[in-house]
Amino acid sequence: MADWVEGRVLERTDWTDTHFSLRVQANLPPYKAGQFTKLALVDGEQKVQRAYSFVNPPSAPWHEFYIVEIPSGQLTPRLGSLQPGDAVLVAANPTGFLTLDEIPAGRDLWMLSTGTAIGPFLSILADGEVAMRFDNLVLVHGVRFGRELTYQPLLRQLAERYGERFNYVPMVSREPWQTALPGRIPAAIGSGALERRVGLGITPSQSQVMICGNPEMVRDTQGVLLERGLVKNLRRKPGQISAENYW
């Protein structure tokens, strides 16, 4: 059973009509970049809860969560109505294994995400330890529509911080969008379009690949990478593919 602490909304950012972020003040134990916790609101005698990754680095004085509102959902419409000063319950037991200490050594780190699953990778990049582990950092963000390519101010900061070592690749699947790659991440790997865009190859000898997104994307991306000779990363047998479903 989760222990809960009462948090207080400090700030909200509305990215689109359905995508928003909440910065929350809550007294939580230390956690690692890439981990997640749960948010909850009381509904009668029950808590309606859902897991959300931290977008912020653990050193931040607040906790940030990136949320998409599901109109028919029990929780997200109510989270979407929260304003600064409002209370929200936060589970006091952050967890998750999509963290750098679970990733073997490599030259290149590929972070492949869809939708709000970009959150844990933003946390890892903002934390900074990743720069001591890998020479090249590739962040891929796949969305349906261009307006969902959120967190652009932070991405510009990361590009300035890491310079040529950092590659941000937006992908938009349902409409042409500026300089974004079209289609889905697994197809872009299969065709070689993603590697051509970045100028690096995804190889067993040089690459570590972290995947976070919807289950279909995770499954299909792993399948393409397995065909390329990469293997799943296990504690008892290190490999190159680490993945987490985002629901």
Side-chain angles (χ1 to χ4, degrees):
M1 297 293 291
D3 293 324
W4 299 89
V5 299
E6 184 175 270
R8 193 70 55 177
V9 177
L10 298 175
E11 181 182 341
R12 65 172 291 140
T13 300
D14 292 289
W15 302 104
T16 73
D17 56 348
T18 56
H19 294 68
F20 63 97
S21 300
L22 297 177
R23 286 186 176 179
V24 177
Q25 176 66 52
N27 293 321
L28 300 179
Y31 54 87
K32 302 173 185 177
Q35 290 191 309
F36 62 88
T37 188
K38 292 180 180 179
L39 300 181
L41 293 170
V42 175
D43 183 7
E45 296 182 356
Q46 295 183 330
K47 293 183 182 73
V48 182
Q49 58 186 274
R50 192 173 186 273
Y52 292 100
S53 293
F54 297 97
V55 179
N56 59 283
S59 59
W62 29 255
H63 317 290
E64 183 164 338
F65 306 98
Y66 182 26
I67 302 165
V68 59
E69 183 173 330
I70 309 299
S72 61
Q74 288 184 287
L75 180 61
T76 58
R78 295 179 63 197
L79 291 176
S81 69
L82 294 180
Q83 298 295 327
D86 289 342
V88 60
L89 294 173
V90 185
N93 54 346
T95 187
F97 299 99
L98 202 68
T99 58
L100 282 185
D101 58 350
E102 299 285 343
I103 308 300
R107 186 192 68 183
D108 309 326
L109 180 63
W110 296 75
M111 293 162 280
L112 312 180
S113 66
T114 55
T116 56
I118 192 176
F121 296 140
L122 293 176
S123 176
I124 288 170
L125 288 164
D127 181 57
E129 181 188 345
V130 67
M132 297 182 283
R133 293 279 314 277
F134 296 93
D135 294 338
N136 298 299
L137 308 170
V138 182
L139 174 64
V140 181
H141 188 202
V143 297
R144 300 169 302 166
F145 302 102
R147 64 180 179 272
E148 297 169 357
L149 292 170
T150 54
Y151 277 95
Q152 293 300 311
L154 175 56
L155 289 165
R156 287 192 289 271
Q157 292 176 21
L158 293 171
E160 183 176 348
R161 176 179 181 178
Y162 292 119
E164 294 183 355
R165 301 173 61 186
F166 178 63
N167 280 278
Y168 163 65
V169 182
M171 294 192 63
V172 179
S173 63
R174 296 191 183 179
E175 64 177 350
W177 189 263
Q178 301 174 4
T179 60
L181 282 179
R184 299 176 64 240
I185 291 172
I189 297 173
S191 69
L194 178 57
E195 291 155 291
R196 288 192 296 271
R197 171 68 170 264
V198 175
L200 294 170
I202 301 177
T203 65
S205 61
Q206 302 285 4
S207 307
Q208 283 293 324
V209 183
M210 302 175 75
I211 310 168
C212 192
N214 64 74
E216 182 181 7
M217 170 269 196
V218 172
R219 181 198 66 213
D220 293 348
T221 302
Q222 286 188 114
V224 173
L225 295 173
L226 291 169
E227 291 176 357
R228 299 276 289 270
L230 284 73
V231 299
K232 293 181 180 180
N233 177 40
L234 304 172
R235 282 182 171 177
R236 65 180 182 275
K237 188 177 181 181
Q240 299 87 29
I241 305 170
S242 303
E244 187 168 88
N245 288 332
Y246 211 64
W247 65 63

Coordinates of all heavy atoms in Angstrom, one line a residue, residues 9 11 59 71 120 127 180 187 234 245:
V9 N -0.2 22.3 -5.5 CA 0.2 22.8 -6.9 C 0.8 24.2 -6.8 O 0.2 25.1 -6.2 CB -1.1 22.8 -7.8 CG1 -0.7 23.4 -9.2 CG2 -1.7 21.4 -8.0
E11 N 2.4 25.5 -9.8 CA 2.3 26.2 -11.1 C 1.8 25.1 -12.1 O 2.0 23.9 -11.9 CB 3.7 26.6 -11.5 CG 3.9 27.3 -12.9 CD 5.3 27.6 -13.2 OE1 6.1 27.6 -12.3 OE2 5.6 27.8 -14.4
S59 N 17.1 17.1 -8.1 CA 17.6 18.2 -7.3 C 16.6 19.4 -7.3 O 16.8 20.4 -6.5 CB 18.9 18.7 -7.9 OG 18.8 19.1 -9.3
P71 N -10.8 12.8 -21.6 CA -12.1 13.3 -21.2 C -13.0 12.4 -20.5 O -13.8 12.8 -19.6 CB -12.8 13.7 -22.6 CG -11.6 14.0 -23.5 CD -10.5 13.0 -23.1
P120 N 10.3 11.1 -18.4 CA 11.5 10.5 -17.7 C 12.8 10.9 -18.4 O 13.9 11.0 -17.7 CB 11.3 9.0 -17.7 CG 10.2 8.8 -18.7 CD 9.4 10.0 -18.7
D127 N 19.1 16.3 -15.3 CA 19.9 15.9 -14.1 C 21.4 16.0 -14.4 O 22.1 16.5 -13.5 CB 19.6 14.4 -13.7 CG 20.4 14.0 -12.5 OD1 20.3 14.6 -11.4 OD2 21.1 13.0 -12.6
A180 N 10.1 17.9 -38.7 CA 9.9 16.6 -38.0 C 9.9 15.4 -39.0 O 9.5 15.5 -40.2 CB 8.5 16.5 -37.3
A187 N 9.2 2.3 -37.6 CA 9.4 2.4 -39.0 C 10.6 3.2 -39.4 O 11.3 2.9 -40.3 CB 8.1 2.9 -39.7
L234 N 19.1 -7.1 -19.1 CA 18.6 -7.7 -17.8 C 19.7 -7.6 -16.8 O 20.9 -7.5 -17.1 CB 18.3 -9.2 -18.1 CG 17.3 -9.5 -19.2 CD1 17.2 -11.0 -19.4 CD2 15.9 -9.0 -18.8
N245 N 6.7 0.4 -20.4 CA 5.4 0.8 -20.9 C 4.9 2.0 -20.1 O 5.1 2.1 -18.8 CB 4.4 -0.3 -20.8 CG 4.7 -1.4 -21.8 OD1 5.3 -1.2 -22.9 ND2 4.3 -2.6 -21.5

